[in-house]
Structures are given as C-alpha cells and as structure tokens.
Amino acid sequence: MSSFFEFVGPPGSGKTFLFKKIKTKIKKKKNILRGDEYFFKHYQNNKKQNFKYRLYYHYKKKFKFESNFIFKKEYKFLRQKINYIIIKNKLKKIIDKLKIILSFTELNSAGVKRTLDNFKINLAIHYFNKNDNINILSDEGLIQSLFQIYKFKLEKKQLKIIEDFLKLFSKFKLIFLLRVDKKNLIIRT
C-alpha cells in the first residue's frame, strides 16, 4: 500500500527544496517518488515506452501535461486513464469544486487547465489498485492546488466551498504546512 505525504505552502516557501533534500537522504532506505512521477511510471510497460514516457514526464514537468504534437499518443492514453479513474471512483464532484475555487483566482485559462491537469494526476494515483510499497512525497499535490492568488478577499461563502472541497479527501498520512516570512518569499521567487 502506498503512503502519501504532501508539502503545502505558498510559492517560494521551500517545498521543492525540502522534497529534494528528503528524497536524497531517504532514497537509499525507502522507495520515494513524486506523485506525477509515480503516475507516469505506472503506465510504462516496455523499454521503448519507458524512454518515451520519461521524456514526456520531463516535458510535463517543464511545460504542461497536454501535448497535441510530440506526445499526442501518450497524452491521449494517459488522459483516458485519468478520466476512467475519475468516473469509476465518482471523483467528478471533487474536480467540479476545484473548478469553482479556481474561478476565485487570478489564473488565466492556461493556468487553470495546468492546475486541473496536475490535480487530476495527483488525484488518480490515490486510486491505483497496486500494492506497491512506495512513499509518494509531493511538493505540488492535492491540497497545494488551493494555494493561489485570489482576486478578492475570500468571504464566508467562498471559504465554505473550500472547506467542503477539503472534506471530500481521504485522510493523508502527513501534510507539511510551510510558513515563511513574506520578505523571504519575495526574495526566493
């Protein structure tokens, strides 16, 4: 059974830095993967696919999940797998709530799409039927999708939607909430 751990905090708070430090220190003892890395590895079947999916994973990390040219075949396949998991496990309600929450943010349509794609990938891995003994350590996971720049100060109505969204999740083993001084955030980003 996989275990899920997530770093949560604003951009520049050190989530990726801590992820890399922990991964290098513990990797020798335990199998630790990033959520999206686990997702891509889950669907690699042979050496040829393995190489192509590794390239696609790096493309996704650097740019975006959607690929209509270079990795079109892999994108369509993985998107179908995600949609199947969402339908099978009745997860559309969670995604619809996130769409509402993202409408409160200053993200443009490409940013909303990228956030939704990353969220769906991280959500899907929670429903894999593998008995891997893998620790999923994520610096851009499910709860992190809420850390956005909002258009306005959130009122009770919007906070209730966010609260309802959080109640839809199964329990995490551990969530690390990183707090950083605003001055340090500006320096780091």
Side-chain angles (χ1 to χ4, degrees):
M1 182 79 182
S2 298
S3 299
F4 297 91
F5 306 91
E6 185 171 333
F7 290 107
V8 178
S13 61
K15 298 179 302 291
T16 303
F17 174 79
L18 283 174
F19 170 82
K20 288 177 181 176
K21 283 286 188 193
I22 289 172
K23 188 171 179 178
T24 55
K25 296 280 183 192
I26 301 177
K27 191 170 185 169
K28 294 169 188 150
K29 297 176 189 173
K30 299 216 181 235
N31 198 0
I32 295 177
L33 292 174
R34 202 179 224 121
D36 55 357
E37 181 182 11
Y38 179 54
F39 177 78
F40 276 76
K41 283 187 177 204
H42 181 77
Y43 291 107
Q44 296 169 0
N45 295 328
N46 57 46
K47 284 187 178 185
K48 183 181 174 189
Q49 251 188 344
N50 189 1
F51 179 72
K52 190 114 188 224
Y53 274 85
R54 271 191 286 145
L55 287 175
Y56 181 29
Y57 172 65
H58 289 291
Y59 172 85
K60 182 257 179 213
K61 274 179 34 182
K62 193 123 179 127
F63 302 107
K64 59 184 178 173
F65 178 58
E66 183 178 12
S67 177
N68 293 320
F69 185 67
I70 301 172
F71 302 105
K72 183 177 183 175
K73 182 178 161 189
E74 291 77 15
Y75 169 67
K76 285 177 79 173
F77 173 76
L78 293 177
R79 192 183 69 211
Q80 286 174 340
K81 292 294 184 184
I82 290 170
N83 290 335
Y84 173 75
I85 291 169
I86 289 168
I87 292 166
K88 180 182 173 199
N89 294 288
K90 298 176 176 88
L91 302 171
K92 188 167 177 356
K93 187 176 180 180
I94 294 174
I95 293 159
D96 289 342
K97 285 269 190 213
L98 181 61
K99 286 178 184 177
I100 293 168
I101 293 167
L102 292 176
S103 73
F104 307 152
T105 70
E106 293 188 359
L107 290 173
N108 61 21
S109 59
V112 169
K113 174 136 179 56
R114 193 168 37 256
T115 300
L116 283 169
D117 285 344
N118 290 334
F119 179 82
K120 288 176 184 178
I121 289 169
N122 282 300
L123 185 60
I125 62 171
H126 285 265
Y127 293 89
F128 282 171
N129 289 327
K130 288 180 93 174
N131 287 325
D132 293 339
N133 191 15
I134 293 177
N135 294 296
I136 310 298
L137 188 60
S138 189
D139 59 338
E140 295 292 335
L142 298 174
I143 308 299
Q144 180 60 29
S145 62
L146 296 175
F147 274 82
Q148 305 288 340
I149 298 171
Y150 292 94
K151 295 177 192 173
F152 45 80
K153 185 177 179 187
L154 298 175
E155 302 292 328
K156 281 187 179 182
K157 182 180 173 185
Q158 289 91 16
L159 292 172
K160 177 72 173 130
I161 293 169
I162 292 171
E163 182 183 346
D164 292 345
F165 171 76
L166 290 171
K167 286 179 181 176
L168 295 171
F169 290 109
S170 57
K171 302 286 187 261
F172 284 83
K173 226 175 191 177
L174 190 59
I175 296 175
F176 299 93
L177 177 60
L178 306 177
R179 292 184 180 187
V180 181
D181 185 323
K182 287 181 184 178
K183 291 177 187 174
N184 288 338
L185 289 177
I186 293 168
I187 292 167
R188 290 180 186 172
T189 54

